[in-house]
Amino acid sequence: MSRISFLRIAAPLACAPASHAAVFPLSTLCASVLATLALAPLPGRAQNAAAPTLQTVDVVDAAPASNGKLNLDTPTETGSRLGLTARETPASVTVVDRATIDARGAQDTQEVLRSIPGVTAHNAPGSMAASYRGFTSSSVAQLYNGVNPQYGSATRAVDSWIYDRVEAIGGASSFLFGAGGVGGSINYLTKTAERSDFAEGQVRLGSYRLKEVSVGLNRRIAGSDHSAAPAHFARIDINHKDAGSWTEGTKTQATQLATSLLSDLGSGFTHTLAYEYQKDHVDRPYWGTPVLQPADGALHIDPATRFKNYNSADGMYEHRVQWLRSVSQWRVSDALQLKNTLYAYDALRDYRNVEIYTFNATNTAVTRSSPYLQRHDQELVGNRLEGTYQGRLAGKKSDWAFGVDVSVNRQTRYPQSVSTTVSTVNPYQFNTENFFDIPGISPGYNPDKDNKISTTALYLENRTLVAPAVNLVTALRHERIGLDLVNRRAVTASSPATFSRSYHPTTGRLAVVWDIAPGANLYAQASNAADPPSGSLASASFSDVRNNSELTTGRQTEIGSKFDFWGGKGSATVSVFQIHRKNIASQDLNNPNLTVLVGEQSSKGIELSAGVRPDAQWQVQGNLSHTRARYENFVQGGLSRAGKVPTLVPQTVANLWVSYAITPAITASAGVRHVGKVYGDTANTQYWPSYTLLDLGLAWKITKGTTLTGRLRNATDRIYAAEARSQVYLGAPRTFDVTLYTAF
């Protein structure tokens, strides 16, 4: 298939080096341009239209301070397509805005997730698996500007600089974004051009040779408040990081770019063209630390191995991503608005590592195994046409959202591995080989299979005022998903040349919201979701597709409340939920070689969040999640796991953030995070104990737009595991960094 450089389209907006340019199919780009032109008004019409009413352009502080309360009254894109605020949405919705990201010093998206009640995540190379409401992996949808790449390795941590905010909705939410999201959906929203002029920059230096530079610029580039001609606003945000690591030999270089052009074209038309480029390169990535034997009960490591890295000397992970979005909006009238989003995603991920390390029975040597060479080549192209309409139904105020979403997701994987012990080394003094010196491993990528996921979805959402202060909120989504597999290796009975499977999930929500008093409500909802029974469709094997004829189903019931208190100084939310997931792929108890869709998993719990600003000096926010998750019916290794806790799911997660303005220019802050124990196996014979982390900060506001902040992270130097399995992926030790931010 012929290809052209993606940067030929993005060049007017960004200046990424040509050597980094990835490519899209020519047909994809043509479709993108044609669809954009079809939805945008003709230039002549825009020139002859009446003068548009534009917002006054002011120079603003690009990093406003948080007011301490929860963000409940800003419309969100994640809890509903009706443009509801978090308060109006009948679900637990969390908004982590830019001010909160900055106030807590979240360096990347993994650290941003700590602000969402009950969410935990690890950042093992190439993936940022999250746990939410008792579910993990593909059962937690991670979206980028409302688009789901449908693959876990697409969710690695990204520097937070290019993101405007992160939104999340707890529990079954496939009716919003499609298959996935039994435990919840997390949406990362990129900064885009605004109708204002500002510039900002940031420099961060820290432990282990951390060096980071970030720049943002937003400008009006054409048009004025007093002209009928179209007005255009451009924005660019770029970040680059060079860093060593607390693990031996690990080095990271990462670059993120987000750029966009916002055009007010007249007659109610606006258009945003946005492009993102992200590249990470990690030398000798850290994959984990071996646990001491016997690995039963509470897991422990030898503190002398805390900083050791058992990967190959030239181990490598690299990830290059490009996004292109064309968003056309038309305000037809005060009641009707239309929006079309054309999107394209291209990713190339490379791995070259020895990944498993195990102590011998006497804890005197470490066995290194699982050499793995892998490439993921993924492309996603789609278009979403949607609208909102404000009207009346049977004389009652009734708002509607409707749309159609079409996408094609292709991925080819190139795995190469050998089942062998690479070496056995002294745990403390050792050298490791270059990767291609391992017997049986050769350079080059040999494709395994192509996975193609074609999705067409229709959705409808409604909110009707059925009684004074009582709204009925409903949603329905139907999808037709086609999965096609093409074998790129030897054809066998278990791996045929091709195989196809189709799925037709229908998901929805039925909810009621009662405004019991100004600033306070109660809600109740029932919703359902669907996701793959054994991982992601983008990497599903022939065995998965042939044996698993259905998607899993998840059903949730939830009640809750959102309210202000203390005369408006504080706000809080509370929710109680129960989720039941069926059709999980499980071994047949009588035939371990057979996989059947009989597995079941349940989860129930409570989530609390609160924010308060008692006076101008103090700000306090916190959240608490307590979850009871269990396998109801699940077989592994011929043994039933019924009644066991799913792996990597903590029962309790709590966070507290406090800041105090010592003077108008100096603010001290502290963050405390507690995570309950997690099991590393389905038999629940191994677990990592609960842990508590402390972060400290001190900020000096030098001028109105310039702030110098020092942060001590993991101040007590706690040894903890962000992921616990046969080996543990440790979190960072105590580190210090200082950040200089300025806006003008």
Side-chain angles (χ1 to χ4, degrees):
M1 181 180 295
S2 65
R3 289 171 171 255
I4 63 173
S5 171
F6 190 23
L7 291 181
R8 293 182 191 173
I9 297 297
L13 298 177
C15 299
S19 60
H20 292 166
V23 288
F24 272 113
L26 180 60
S27 58
T28 297
L29 288 174
C30 291
S32 300
V33 173
L34 289 174
T36 301
L37 293 176
L39 284 163
L42 296 174
R45 289 181 57 192
Q47 293 287 350
N48 297 329
T53 302
L54 300 177
Q55 299 179 9
T56 302
V57 177
D58 298 315
V59 177
V60 298
D61 185 345
S66 171
N67 66 5
K69 295 173 59 179
L70 301 182
N71 195 334
L72 296 180
D73 297 311
T74 301
T76 74
E77 297 185 21
T78 307
S80 166
R81 295 194 180 279
L82 290 163
L84 304 181
T85 66
R87 190 190 302 273
E88 295 169 329
T89 304
S92 180
V93 176
T94 303
V95 179
V96 189
D97 59 18
R98 187 69 233 178
T100 302
I101 293 171
D102 291 334
R104 295 175 187 170
Q107 298 178 94
D108 56 34
T109 48
Q110 182 201 18
E111 294 185 1
V112 174
L113 296 187
R114 297 176 182 176
S115 296
I116 303 171
V119 172
T120 61
H122 67 81
N123 192 25
S127 177
M128 189 174 64
S131 169
Y132 200 0
R133 289 198 169 183
F135 296 88
T136 60
S137 189
S138 61
S139 295
V140 179
Q142 297 196 54
L143 317 154
Y144 297 85
N145 300 292
V147 179
N148 188 349
Q150 302 171 310
Y151 189 56
S153 292
T155 62
R156 94 269 187 246
V158 180
D159 192 275
S160 63
W161 178 260
I162 66 170
Y163 291 105
D164 177 68
R165 65 193 185 280
V166 177
E167 301 177 351
I169 177 172
S173 46
S174 294
F175 58 89
L176 288 168
F177 305 107
V182 173
S185 295
I186 300 167
N187 193 9
Y188 307 95
L189 294 150
T190 311
K191 295 175 179 177
T192 54
E194 303 176 25
R195 296 175 179 87
S196 57
D197 289 341
F198 61 84
E200 57 184 341
Q202 179 176 281
V203 176
R204 178 182 286 130
L205 302 174
S207 304
Y208 303 104
R209 304 182 303 282
L210 170 65
K211 300 180 289 294
E212 186 175 9
V213 177
S214 308
V215 176
L217 178 66
N218 195 101
R219 283 289 184 271
R220 179 198 290 266
I221 59 174
S224 69
D225 291 343
H226 309 293
S227 172
H232 303 281
F233 305 84
R235 178 169 186 163
I236 183 170
D237 292 277
I238 189 168
N239 164 272
H240 180 76
K241 178 175 71 175
D242 281 290
S245 174
W246 52 275
T247 57
E248 295 174 348
T250 304
K251 298 179 182 178
T252 300
Q253 285 190 327
T255 301
Q256 289 81 35
L257 167 74
T259 184
S260 57
L261 176 67
L262 168 63
S263 299
D264 290 321
L265 301 172
S267 300
F269 284 92
T270 64
H271 179 261
T272 299
L273 183 64
Y275 168 73
E276 293 174 46
Y277 173 83
Q278 303 165 15
K279 183 175 181 179
D280 296 354
H281 180 93
V282 184
D283 290 317
R284 206 179 180 203
Y286 165 70
W287 285 89
T289 300
V291 298
L292 293 171
Q293 301 294 330
D296 293 321
L299 300 175
H300 301 281
I301 70 162
D302 182 343
T305 67
R306 183 183 187 185
F307 302 97
K308 299 299 181 182
N309 186 347
Y310 298 93
N311 200 352
S312 292
D314 62 345
M316 181 270 291
Y317 162 69
E318 188 170 88
H319 190 137
R320 191 236 50 231
V321 167
Q322 296 183 99
W323 283 97
L324 180 66
R325 290 180 293 126
S326 171
V327 184
S328 303
Q329 295 177 273
W330 181 23
R331 188 178 184 88
V332 182
S333 66
D334 290 340
L336 177 63
Q337 298 184 51
L338 299 176
K339 179 179 179 181
N340 190 84
T341 302
L342 184 70
Y343 54 89
Y345 166 83
D346 178 77
L348 192 68
R349 298 177 284 269
D350 288 327
Y351 305 79
R352 186 181 69 219
N353 304 282
V354 173
E355 301 180 4
I356 302 298
Y357 326 117
T358 308
F359 264 114
N360 64 1
T362 58
N363 296 316
T364 57
V366 171
T367 299
R368 304 170 57 251
S369 60
S370 295
Y372 198 40
L373 180 69
Q374 172 70 282
R375 166 169 284 183
H376 304 159
D377 189 354
Q378 184 180 4
E379 294 177 354
L380 169 63
V381 178
N383 192 83
R384 183 168 59 238
L385 177 62
E386 57 191 321
T388 58
Y389 179 73
Q390 298 177 347
R392 306 190 74 81
L393 181 65
K396 305 290 187 180
K397 183 179 184 301
S398 186
D399 299 334
W400 298 85
F402 51 89
V404 57
D405 198 344
V406 179
S407 66
V408 177
N409 192 348
R410 295 183 178 89
Q411 178 165 247
T412 302
R413 288 159 54 93
Y414 302 76
Q416 182 184 161
S417 63
V418 292
S419 299
T420 183
T421 295
V422 176
S423 67
T424 299
V425 299
N426 180 298
Y428 319 109
Q429 301 289 334
F430 59 89
N431 292 308
T432 59
E433 72 295 316
N434 288 330
F435 185 80
F436 291 115
D437 291 338
I438 299 172
I441 294 291
S442 59
Y445 295 99
N446 180 20
D448 178 24
K449 65 182 185 309
D450 301 328
N451 288 45
K452 177 184 175 184
I453 308 165
S454 303
T455 304
T456 300
L458 298 171
Y459 63 85
L460 187 67
E461 192 173 355
N462 175 261
R463 182 177 73 153
T464 299
L465 186 67
V466 295
V470 178
N471 281 283
L472 181 67
V473 182
T474 56
L476 192 67
R477 181 185 181 101
H478 178 72
E479 295 179 85
R480 304 185 71 86
I481 303 171
L483 175 60
D484 298 295
L485 271 61
V486 176
N487 190 356
R488 302 282 293 275
R489 295 188 179 179
V491 175
T492 65
S494 59
S495 299
T498 62
F499 195 86
S500 298
R501 175 76 71 186
S502 61
Y503 308 93
H504 309 97
T506 299
T507 55
R509 171 167 68 188
L510 176 63
V512 63
V513 181
W514 177 24
D515 296 324
I516 57 176
N521 66 26
L522 298 172
Y523 70 87
Q525 67 135 322
S527 60
N528 67 338
D531 68 348
S534 55
S536 168
L537 295 181
S539 60
S541 67
F542 283 98
S543 176
D544 290 335
V545 177
R546 296 176 73 174
N547 295 329
N548 301 331
S549 58
E550 302 177 48
L551 299 180
T552 70
T553 59
R555 300 183 182 276
Q556 173 181 261
T557 56
E558 178 180 347
I559 59 173
S561 178
K562 304 172 185 182
F563 55 92
D564 297 330
F565 62 92
W566 199 358
K569 294 181 179 180
S571 56
T573 68
V574 57
S575 63
V576 179
F577 63 88
Q578 182 169 354
I579 306 172
H580 198 80
R581 181 187 180 211
K582 295 183 178 181
N583 293 341
I584 301 173
S586 173
Q587 283 182 338
D588 188 315
L589 190 57
N590 298 316
N591 183 1
N593 296 320
L594 180 63
T595 298
V596 290
L597 299 180
V598 298
E600 297 183 24
Q601 181 180 341
S602 69
S603 174
K604 58 184 178 182
I606 183 171
E607 292 174 355
L608 306 169
S609 294
V612 62
R613 187 168 190 177
D615 56 40
Q617 290 180 286
W618 286 97
Q619 293 187 39
V620 181
Q621 280 195 11
N623 57 56
L624 169 68
S625 173
H626 187 77
T627 304
R628 182 190 183 277
R630 295 291 186 272
Y631 290 118
E632 301 294 338
N633 184 4
F634 187 66
V635 176
Q636 185 184 61
L639 298 175
S640 172
R641 303 306 188 197
K644 301 298 184 181
V645 179
T647 58
L648 304 181
V649 174
Q651 180 169 276
T652 301
V653 179
N655 297 284
L656 179 67
W657 300 273
V658 179
S659 68
Y660 176 70
I662 302 171
T663 71
I666 299 177
T667 300
S669 62
V672 180
R673 177 173 175 81
H674 175 81
V675 178
K677 74 175 181 181
V678 296
Y679 288 101
D681 63 336
T682 57
N684 290 179
T685 61
Q686 304 173 343
Y687 68 89
W688 188 268
S690 63
Y691 60 88
T692 301
L693 305 177
L694 172 65
D695 295 339
L696 301 173
L698 187 65
W700 173 30
K701 196 173 185 66
I702 302 172
T703 66
K704 181 180 179 181
T706 303
T707 302
L708 182 67
T709 305
R711 296 190 183 278
L712 188 64
R713 304 172 192 269
N714 190 6
T716 61
D717 201 26
R718 180 67 184 266
I719 297 177
Y720 70 99
E723 182 189 33
R725 295 188 188 272
S726 57
Q727 65 190 33
V728 293
Y729 187 84
L730 299 179
R734 178 169 50 229
T735 60
F736 176 77
D737 60 84
V738 59
T739 301
L740 179 64
Y741 170 87
T742 186
F744 50 91

